[in-house]
Amino acid sequence: MKRYDYIIAGGGLAGLSLAYYMNQSVLRNKQILILDRDEKNKNDRTWCFWETDRESPFDPIVFRKWPEVYFYGSGGFEKKLDLGNYAYKWIRGIDFYNFVKTDLAANPNITFLQTNVGRLTSTADGGFVITEAGQFIADYVFDSVTSLRLDNKKRENMLQHFKGWEISTPQPSFDPDVPIMMDYRIAQTGLGVRFSYVLPVDEKRAFVEYTVFSDKLLEPAEYDRELHTYIRDVLNIQDFEIHHEEFGVIPMTDELPETPRDSRVIRIGTSGGYVKASSGYAFKRTQWLTQELVSQILTTGEPSPPKATLHSWFKRLMDSTLLNVLLRERHSGEVIFTHLYKKNLTPKLLTFMDGKASFADELRIMSTVPLWAFTKGMVDTLIKRF
């Protein structure tokens, strides 16, 4: 049984991000094993996020970026949002995989192994991993393959599920300078919140996605039907060709993994609660949290989770409250998000959604949502927990 310094179980966004930041530090001299069942040679993901336009390690692979976005909300509200010092960025999965794998391939201390991961166990000697290709042990194992339970009755559990098509049209149909970040001009049928977005490649090509926040998936044919309806009736496109499609499910949950502080198996990524519970955004949070993990190892020698503070507890409570409001249909999600974008400066709102706003700004932004619905949601959330 071969021993490594670190094993990364799962070579997706979180696993490769962690390996990338390790490789930028003295940890590059450690023996690191990355396990994943896939080669990561397909464009299976689309990541969109906002960030201030400073230099970022992934700037070379940003496929498109924009200083403005369209928002279409309830009651006919529509606005071109100026993002201020933020840019809205689009990174394709295949570009991210190739960029990081190329960087890591130059380090002989990093080993990739394509295999299915079975059991992961914390022992006195380290993290123990059983795979189809054999058994391995390391000082620490970083686990992004174990699923969250999503069945804790004391927590709020919702799913973000989506299907997208990259389409082309014979005539100019898109504004390449401004994407549609959220579009509620679609039927809010059934449970949950539904919206679409459009990422233009050029005037004749774009990625169009239909997204639902709910606790249950739709029938497969419904995603296709709704995409066709949106493209035909809202975008007014009758003739188009589909070149690529993407389907995914992301948990929007306030559940946190139950990991003892002395465990040698550390949960990361979706498995570790990295996805923003109230929005489903993951790319930037994954960068922040994996960088923080590397910093902790360099500082203390141990990847200990950060200690909770009163402010971090309050931010998680706000995420939980929004999930409670949406799941129990205490108020229309379409109206809630319209209020947020209509009544707040966009850069301030984006900082808030990143979890980086001051406590005073958080209170100001929360005052623009339907207060009675959110009060009931917060009370219900607290009662369930305690």
Side-chain angles (χ1 to χ4, degrees), residues 153-293:
K153 301 301 182 182
K154 294 185 177 182
R155 294 291 177 176
E156 308 295 340
N157 297 299
M158 180 177 270
L159 299 173
Q160 177 186 158
H161 41 112
F162 49 84
K163 187 166 189 178
W165 291 337
E166 184 175 335
I167 65 172
S168 64
T169 61
Q171 303 296 327
S173 304
F174 309 104
D175 181 352
D177 296 325
V178 190
I180 299 176
M181 188 172 75
M182 270 189 166
D183 193 340
Y184 288 99
R185 295 175 298 176
I186 57 178
Q188 299 296 315
T189 56
L191 298 176
V193 186
R194 305 181 180 213
F195 63 92
S196 292
Y197 67 81
V198 180
L199 305 176
V201 177
D202 54 41
E203 291 183 338
K204 297 182 179 181
R205 197 178 188 100
F207 185 75
V208 183
E209 188 161 284
Y210 178 76
T211 303
V212 183
F213 295 172
S214 69
D215 60 350
K216 292 182 178 62
L217 301 184
L218 308 181
E219 292 297 324
E222 189 171 351
Y223 298 100
D224 289 351
R225 184 168 62 250
E226 294 295 342
L227 273 167
H228 271 290
T229 299
Y230 177 70
I231 293 169
R232 182 188 65 240
D233 296 346
V234 179
L235 299 182
N236 296 314
I237 297 171
Q238 309 302 319
D239 185 11
F240 64 91
E241 181 180 354
I242 301 171
H243 300 274
H244 167 73
E245 69 175 40
E246 176 183 313
F247 178 80
V249 181
I250 299 173
M252 297 173 64
T253 175
D254 58 1
E255 178 185 332
L256 295 175
E258 298 176 358
T259 305
R261 295 192 70 85
D262 61 350
S263 177
R264 295 304 183 98
V265 177
I266 309 298
R267 305 267 293 265
I268 63 173
T270 302
S271 173
Y274 282 17
V275 176
K276 178 71 170 171
S278 57
S279 67
Y281 279 91
F283 189 87
K284 282 302 298 180
R285 282 175 58 84
T286 298
Q287 305 314 310
W288 293 330
L289 292 169
T290 50
Q291 284 178 292
E292 187 175 290
L293 206 53

